[in-house]
């Protein structure tokens, strides 16, 4: 999968929103006839994972968020205020919700806030803090921890 305007994907004119990119992913899965899958993303890809995965619970059964989350407090507050129905369904619909970040990662404050909030609402998720910042070494460790959980 290439995001619009990247790799071999077309670059149509107009604004690209995270919501539109999330719709692209869901549309692609529908075209391919994929009814259930796993999804993980790092940094901005983690935001796309949240947007597409949480808005399509049931299709995405395993979600991995690496060094990400909604970085802006207003975005997190919007999620808290408008997605209580999604939060209530997470345990039923998700087989695994994994979220990790680096100890020196700029994404850490938002990730910690979000995971603590979700846990306070009873959401079962695995969270982990790696050593390091917002870089490939942390993401390599994230993938190393996440991937085996998919096959249990």
């Amino acid at each position: 999968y290439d995001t619009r305007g990247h790799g071999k994907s077309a670059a149509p004119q107009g604004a690209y929103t995270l919501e539109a990119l999330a719709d692209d992913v869901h549309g692609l899965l529908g075209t391919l006839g994929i009814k259930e899958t796993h999804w993980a993303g790092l940094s901005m890809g983690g935001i796309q994972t949240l947007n597409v995965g949480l808005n399509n619970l049931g299709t995405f059964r395993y979600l991995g968020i690496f060094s990400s989350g909604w970085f802006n407090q207003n975005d997190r507050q919007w999620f808290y205020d408008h997605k209580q129905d999604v939060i209530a369904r997470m345990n039923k619909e998700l087989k695994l919700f994994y979220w990790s970040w680096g100890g020196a990662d700029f994404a850490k404050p938002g990730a910690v806030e979000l995971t603590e909030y979700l846990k306070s609402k009873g959401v079962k998720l695995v969270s982990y803090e790696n050593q390091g910042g917002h870089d490939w070494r942390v993401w390599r460790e994230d993938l190393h921890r996440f991937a085996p959980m998919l096959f249990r």
Side-chain angles (χ1 to χ4, degrees), residues 47-58:
I47 296 171
Q48 286 182 276
T49 300
L50 288 167
N51 287 341
V52 86
L54 297 181
N55 286 312
N56 296 283
L57 290 173

Side-chain angles (χ1 to χ4, degrees), residues 17-86:
T17 65
L18 290 174
E19 292 76 18
L21 298 176
D23 290 343
D24 290 348
V25 172
H26 196 252
L28 173 64
L29 293 173
T31 298
L32 296 173
I34 297 171
K35 305 228 182 288
E36 185 176 302
T37 192
H38 318 316
W39 192 270
L42 58 94
S43 195
M44 184 175 160
I47 296 171
Q48 286 182 276
T49 300
L50 288 167
N51 287 341
V52 86
L54 297 181
N55 286 312
N56 296 283
L57 290 173
T59 299
F60 298 93
R61 303 302 295 259
Y62 298 78
L63 295 178
I65 312 298
F66 309 152
S67 292
S68 193
W70 294 291
F71 301 130
N72 180 299
Q73 180 62 45
N74 290 335
D75 293 338
R76 292 191 298 273
Q77 191 60 53
W78 186 91
F79 174 74
Y80 304 150
D81 292 344
H82 295 93
K83 293 294 183 173
Q84 291 300 310
D85 60 323
V86 171

